[in-house]
Amino acid sequence: IFQQVVKEEALCLEHNESASPELKGCARDWDGLTCWPRATFGEVVKIPCPQFFEEFTNTHGFLQRNCTQEEHWSEPFPPYTVACGFDESSSKGPEDQKSYYSAFWRVYTAGYAASVTSLITALIVFAAFRKFHCTRNYIHMHLFVSFILRAIAVFTKDAVLFADETMDHCLMSTVACKAAVAFFQFSILANFFWLLIEGIYLQTLLLLTFVSNNKFVWWFIFTGWGAPTAVMFTWVLTRIHQQNTGCWDDDENGVVLWIIKGPILLTVLINFIIFINVIRILVHKLKSQEGGGSHSSHFVRLAKSTLLLIPLFGVHYIVFAFFPESTGLEARLYIELGLGSFQGFVVALLYCFSNAEVQTELKKQLCKWQYQEYLTFTHKQGTLSRETSPVNYVTQLSLLDKISPKRRTSLFQDGVTTV
């Protein structure tokens, strides 16, 4: 909105300078929100409300101004608040908005920090134990890396764009901020593509009983990282040649917008279809079990499986996937930033730390470390007790007497003197 207003102001002033000075009446005027064209004395000019007001109020109103005989414009009537349906008292002021977004920034910063910490720990666990080296965990590890990159990209973007509070980031246009935004977009694309890979792999396991462990791994890796790289390369070239404005974080139009949004929507849609199909297969398998228990136990198992698959597939993104960016802005912030920042933590918790196989292996390793510590402790205690025992002391004296006859003689003489 700010950039749109700045462009309209520049265009209005440019037309004003190029206007003929011979025309009598009120000159072209910029009132801070709208450009008013030239008018003759006594003329009443009627124009629509600024377009950006409709994004907030959904009101299509009109404003009027009168060119008086003193060559001055009258005040707009009706006022902006009435004609355009914008009530300043009901909206948040700049300080309220700053406080609100600062609090929200703390929430998603904590979420991404928790996600990074848990994901790095999960990566170490999967990499340290050879037992976990399999296709399923390899895909999980790549998904963890994409979540880590996403969190790092958010931190980098915030640091580059918003570190200096005295600078208006809407007017920034540096190589550093463009690189930060490009890295952020790449991490988002990679994250969505690896969520899609998780869905495709699970679908493959359900459809194919016998699958080679390494048959599809390289294809998955090539798709998960290659496709985002290709999309990102296309987007950067398009931005450079067609819309090289700001920090590349403004609302793009046309082709530039859909270069990024198109593949993301496609991955979300395919994953949602896979999610529905996997749930259908789970329901069918639960119903076909012989003597499978009560319906309540089936429902509990189905609900548990569904809740496990939602963060893994990123199904919650389907809520706002096909809506414009301005639709439900606060709800979108809560879901995509608030809940989305903790998605990596939830994925690491469900697929690593809550995994029974992982817990068993960690317990075995912990017991092994404890047993090694116990052996080391008992060995040190045994050595210390042998060194300080009376028998060992007498033995040391006898050895010393055998080695040093002079010492034995001196000890005898001392004993006689003492007696």
Side-chain angles (χ1 to χ4, degrees):
I1 292 174
F2 179 80
Q3 289 182 343
Q4 180 183 348
V5 171
V6 170
K7 290 178 181 178
E8 291 179 358
E9 180 184 8
L11 187 63
C12 180
L13 297 177
E14 180 182 351
H15 283 295
N16 195 20
E17 293 177 356
S18 62
S20 175
E22 299 176 357
L23 296 176
K24 302 297 182 181
C26 297
R28 182 183 296 268
D29 181 57
W30 175 259
D31 67 353
L33 294 173
T34 307
C35 185
W36 295 87
R38 292 181 63 94
T40 58
F41 297 132
E43 182 181 357
V44 177
V45 179
K46 183 179 181 180
I47 61 173
C49 288
Q51 187 177 3
F52 62 83
F53 273 118
E54 298 182 12
E55 299 181 5
F56 301 101
T57 64
N58 295 322
T59 302
H60 186 67
F62 290 89
L63 298 161
Q64 295 181 354
R65 288 181 82 179
N66 183 23
C67 180
T68 64
Q69 294 183 354
E70 292 80 11
E71 298 185 6
H72 294 296
W73 285 103
S74 65
E75 291 295 325
F77 61 91
Y80 277 96
T81 56
V82 177
C84 304
F86 184 73
D87 187 5
E88 293 181 346
S89 62
S90 63
S91 62
K92 294 181 179 179
E95 292 300 324
D96 294 335
Q97 286 187 342
K98 184 178 180 180
S99 176
Y100 170 75
Y101 287 120
S102 296
F104 205 82
W105 171 79
R106 294 187 184 94
V107 171
Y108 78 73
T109 300
Y112 280 121
S115 295
V116 168
T117 304
S118 58
L119 289 167
I120 291 177
T121 307
L123 275 176
I124 294 173
V125 170
F126 281 158
F129 298 97
R130 293 182 59 86
K131 186 177 182 180
F132 301 140
H133 291 186
C134 60
T135 302
R136 171 174 55 88
N137 289 334
Y138 287 154
I139 295 176
H140 284 342
M141 291 170 71
H142 283 280
L143 179 65
F144 293 168
V145 172
S146 71
F147 274 115
I148 294 172
L149 288 180
R150 182 169 182 170
I152 294 174
V154 170
F155 294 148
T156 305
K157 182 170 175 282
D158 287 350
V160 174
L161 267 67
F162 309 113
D164 188 0
E165 296 184 356
T166 62
M167 180 180 294
D168 190 347
H169 81 278
C170 293
L171 302 178
M172 288 178 62
S173 184
T174 62
V175 176
C177 73
K178 292 175 182 178
V181 172
F183 176 55
F184 174 75
Q185 297 285 13
F186 171 78
S187 67
I188 296 293
L189 281 166
N191 192 222
F192 276 103
F193 270 95
W194 276 105
L195 289 170
L196 176 63
I197 296 299
E198 287 281 359
I200 293 175
Y201 178 70
L202 182 57
Q203 181 72 51
T204 304
L205 290 180
L206 293 174
L207 294 178
L208 303 177
T209 306
F210 300 100
V211 182
S212 176
N213 287 334
N214 299 319
K215 186 176 181 179
F216 300 107
V217 173
W218 290 110
W219 285 107
F220 288 151
I221 294 175
F222 178 77
T223 304
W225 296 113
T229 303
V231 174
M232 202 65 244
F233 185 73
T234 306
W235 182 77
V236 169
L237 290 179
T238 308
R239 290 288 315 210
I240 291 174
H241 292 94
Q242 293 190 9
Q243 198 175 7
N244 192 13
T245 58
C247 283
W248 295 354
D249 63 336
D250 52 343
D251 293 328
E252 308 99 345
N253 295 319
V255 178
V256 181
L257 171 65
W258 284 98
I259 291 176
I260 294 289
K261 193 172 182 180
I264 290 177
L265 290 179
L266 183 63
T267 60
V268 171
L269 181 61
I270 295 175
N271 245 6
F272 183 71
I273 295 173
I274 294 176
F275 172 76
I276 297 298
N277 189 45
V278 169
I279 296 301
R280 180 187 62 81
I281 295 174
L282 290 176
V283 171
H284 177 72
K285 288 182 177 293
L286 289 174
K287 286 184 177 180
S288 63
Q289 288 180 350
E290 297 181 0
S294 62
H295 293 287
S296 60
S297 63
H298 290 167
F299 177 78
V300 170
R301 293 173 62 186
L302 178 62
K304 182 179 178 181
S305 302
T306 304
L307 292 175
L308 288 174
L309 292 175
I310 286 176
L312 185 66
F313 286 4
V315 178
H316 54 286
Y317 290 115
I318 199 70
V319 177
F320 292 104
F322 300 97
F323 290 98
E325 293 292 330
S326 58
T327 302
L329 182 59
E330 290 195 1
R332 183 189 294 271
L333 285 175
Y334 279 109
I335 291 178
E336 294 189 357
L337 268 181
L339 297 179
S341 64
F342 288 93
Q343 186 183 1
F345 171 76
V346 173
V347 169
L349 182 65
L350 293 178
Y351 298 98
C352 180
F353 304 116
S354 297
N355 188 299
E357 187 178 2
V358 174
Q359 291 179 353
T360 302
E361 194 67 23
L362 289 177
K363 289 178 181 178
K364 287 170 58 178
Q365 187 64 37
L366 182 61
C367 292
K368 182 179 179 181
W369 287 338
Q370 290 178 344
Y371 182 66
Q372 289 178 347
E373 288 292 329
Y374 173 74
L375 290 179
T376 304
F377 175 76
T378 53
H379 177 71
K380 289 182 178 179
Q381 288 294 108
T383 304
L384 184 62
S385 62
R386 286 194 301 271
E387 290 177 353
T388 58
S389 63
V391 176
N392 189 52
Y393 179 70
V394 172
T395 305
Q396 289 179 349
L397 286 178
S398 61
L399 288 174
L400 185 60
D401 290 340
K402 293 179 180 179
I403 294 173
S404 178
K406 293 181 179 180
R407 176 179 175 84
R408 185 175 58 220
T409 306
S410 62
L411 287 173
F412 176 76
Q413 293 174 353
D414 291 341
V416 172
T417 305
T418 303
V419 173

